[in-house]
Amino acid sequence: MSEGLSQENLNRLVRELLEDFELPESRIHRYTELGLPKDTATFIAFDTNVYTFFNYLLEEDCSPKVAALWLTGELSAETKDQGREFRSAFVNEEGEVELLVDPPKLAELIKAVEEKRITHAAGKEVLKEMVTSGKRADVVIKE
C-alpha cells in the first residue's frame, strides 16, 4: 500500500467500487431492510443520480427514512414546483449538475431537523429558499 493511501481511504474506495456493481434489485432489498417502503426503495434504486444522492445522505449519518422523505418527498416536490422533472433535474443538457441543493446541503438541512434545531415545517421553508438561492441550510436558518 502506498504511503498516500490510508486503509480507511482504501476501504472506502473498494466499497464505492463494489456499490457501482450492485444491481438495482439488491439495492431495493438493502433499502427495504433499512425500513424504506418498497416503492420508495425502487424509486431510489433505479436512478443513478437519486441513488448516489441518497447514499451520500446515508454516509452523512442521516436516518434512511428521513433521508428518503426529504430526497424523494420534499426536494422532489420543490423541484416540481419549479417546473422541472425531479429525475432529470440533477444534470442539464451540458452534463453539469443543475440542482442548487446538492447532497451536502440537503444533509445539513436534514441534520438541523433531526437535531430539532428547526421543525419539519420550518425545514420545508428553508428548503424552498435553498432551491431558489443555492444557499446552505445554516445560512438560511440564521437569516
Side-chain angles (χ1 to χ4, degrees):
M1 182 180 325
S2 74
E3 290 180 34
L5 186 62
S6 70
Q7 185 64 43
E8 180 180 330
N9 286 338
L10 179 61
N11 290 343
R12 184 177 178 144
L13 178 62
V14 169
R15 198 170 48 248
E16 287 174 4
L17 289 172
L18 289 175
E19 284 177 357
D20 287 343
F21 297 108
E22 184 180 29
L23 295 173
E25 291 79 13
S26 177
R27 293 177 191 163
I28 293 167
H29 178 73
R30 184 164 51 92
Y31 293 155
T32 55
E33 285 186 340
L34 292 174
L36 271 57
K38 188 167 184 172
D39 60 333
T40 302
T42 301
F43 178 83
I44 294 169
F46 276 96
D47 186 284
T48 303
N49 292 317
V50 177
Y51 160 76
T52 302
F53 202 124
F54 182 70
N55 280 341
Y56 180 89
L57 297 175
L58 295 182
E59 287 177 11
E60 290 298 307
D61 295 324
C62 295
S63 157
K65 287 182 181 180
V66 175
L69 169 71
W70 280 94
L71 179 60
T72 66
E74 307 301 352
L75 183 58
S76 176
E78 198 55 48
T79 302
K80 287 178 184 175
D81 285 349
Q82 290 188 354
R84 294 186 291 170
E85 174 60 36
F86 179 63
R87 287 181 188 243
S88 63
F90 289 98
V91 180
N92 64 23
E93 292 175 6
E94 289 79 36
E96 300 165 338
V97 174
E98 193 169 275
L99 275 179
L100 292 175
V101 179
D102 60 12
K105 289 178 183 173
L106 187 59
E108 184 179 276
L109 174 60
I110 291 170
K111 288 178 182 179
V113 173
E114 286 185 317
E115 294 167 0
K116 301 192 184 321
R117 289 186 280 138
I118 59 173
T119 65
H120 184 92
K124 288 170 70 170
E125 292 303 314
V126 169
L127 180 63
K128 185 177 288 195
E129 176 62 26
M130 291 170 64
V131 168
T132 303
S133 69
K135 294 178 183 175
R136 291 182 37 235
D138 285 350
V139 172
V140 176
I141 291 168
K142 289 177 184 173
E143 293 176 344

